[in-house]
Amino acid sequence: MPSKVALITGASRGIGRGIAVEVAGVGYDVLVNYAGNREAALETKALVEGAGRRAEVCQANIARREDADRLVQATVETFGRIDLLVNNAGIAPKVRADLLEATPESYDEVLATNLRGPYFLTQTVANRMIEMLRAGVISSPRIVNISSISVYTSSPSRGEYCVSKAGIGMMTKLFADRLAEHGITVNEIQPGIIETDMTGPVRAKYDKLISEGLTPIRRWGRPEDVGRAVAAIAAGHFDFTTGAAIPVDGGFHLRRL
Ligand code: NAI
């Protein structure tokens, strides 16, 4: 039987790579999307192959509509199917600027990559999934969006990031609602503080906060923590769940007294 196929955006490193490895572990072949670093994407490919699955890489800037369309086309031409879309690619603002000083240019850049890109990529993939379901090519497609604790946590030095992630929260609900009749689930993972290149510049700050008890579980999250949650969805363990936000955050979301 042909393998299921996962299209994972921004899978060349960090959380996206962790997701690629873990979904390979539950039987998926993987299309590794990357923005610029082909070498890193090939490392992810090798890790997936090491888990016994097929992987191919495809450069595409998901902020650009034509790139996103090309990415979907490449996935279908290469593998013939898409069973899982993981909207993982995302960026932090280039500069952490105070809410009273941040620029429209930074806002537009962050929103284009973190929200507008995934929104229309999901639209395109969802339409393909519906066609493939009708043709009997796939049977249980799923979509997973990687949002953040920034969906509900105020960080006034990166407001545009928070707004983009809050948008992913509503996007998850919208597509979950619209696609349920087709048997496509859409869920959101809300990672907490995860050790990747993105958090590299603020490592010392978070080391201190975590050791002082910011998160009930006093450690950094790791890409594989997020990857395993996606793999649980990919493996079908959450097929009666849609439109949900699943925290992978060491308990960050708990209100404590
Ligand atoms: P990272 O910076 O290590 O990796 C992001 C990946 O996305 C890179 O491979 C990058 O090339 C790719 N990417 C960026 N812009 C792209 C574009 N326009 N087109 C295609 N690919 C693009 O970041 P990390 O930490 O692995 O983040 C992954 C996702 O998880 C992001 O959406 C981020 O917002 C989210 N997240 C990260 C947290 C953390 O603490 N690291 C916490 C919560 C959410």
Side-chain angles (χ1 to χ4, degrees), residues 81-208:
R81 58 194 289 165
I82 306 177
D83 299 86
L84 174 70
L85 167 66
V86 184
N87 282 305
N88 164 76
I91 55 171
K94 284 202 181 81
V95 179
R96 283 194 174 217
D98 182 80
L99 199 56
L100 299 182
E101 286 153 14
T103 63
E105 290 73 22
S106 178
Y107 182 97
D108 287 347
E109 186 186 20
V110 171
L111 267 286
T113 303
N114 292 7
L115 185 57
R116 187 175 181 276
Y119 190 93
F120 287 103
L121 178 63
T122 301
Q123 183 192 64
T124 303
V125 171
N127 279 311
R128 288 297 187 104
M129 284 175 164
I130 291 166
E131 287 166 18
M132 289 176 188
L133 280 163
R134 287 192 178 129
V137 174
I138 58 174
S139 58
S140 47
R142 304 168 182 112
I143 296 172
V144 179
N145 299 322
I146 306 302
S147 64
S148 170
I149 52 176
S150 297
V151 165
Y152 58 83
T153 304
S154 165
S155 299
S157 65
R158 48 183 184 133
E160 60 274 62
Y161 182 83
C162 299
V163 168
S164 73
K165 292 299 183 180
I168 290 287
M170 179 47 80
M171 179 183 128
T172 301
K173 294 180 179 69
L174 287 164
F175 278 104
D177 183 17
R178 181 64 184 82
L179 297 178
E181 66 176 282
H182 296 286
I184 305 172
T185 65
V186 186
N187 290 292
E188 171 192 352
I189 306 279
Q190 294 182 341
I193 303 164
I194 313 292
E195 197 168 8
T196 67
D197 291 339
M198 182 181 275
T199 44
V202 285
R203 189 143 303 164
K205 172 184 161 183
Y206 286 135
D207 274 345
K208 183 164 185 295

Side-chain angles (χ1 to χ4, degrees), residues 16-58:
R17 177 180 283 181
I19 294 169
V21 171
E22 296 298 332
V23 300
V26 296
Y28 280 72
D29 290 344
V30 179
L31 194 294
V32 176
N33 161 245
Y34 68 100
N37 191 341
R38 184 175 170 83
E39 287 308 307
L42 291 172
E43 281 173 32
T44 301
K45 172 175 151 75
L47 289 169
V48 170
E49 289 168 349
R53 309 300 338 173
R54 181 179 171 201
E56 302 297 339
V57 305
C58 180

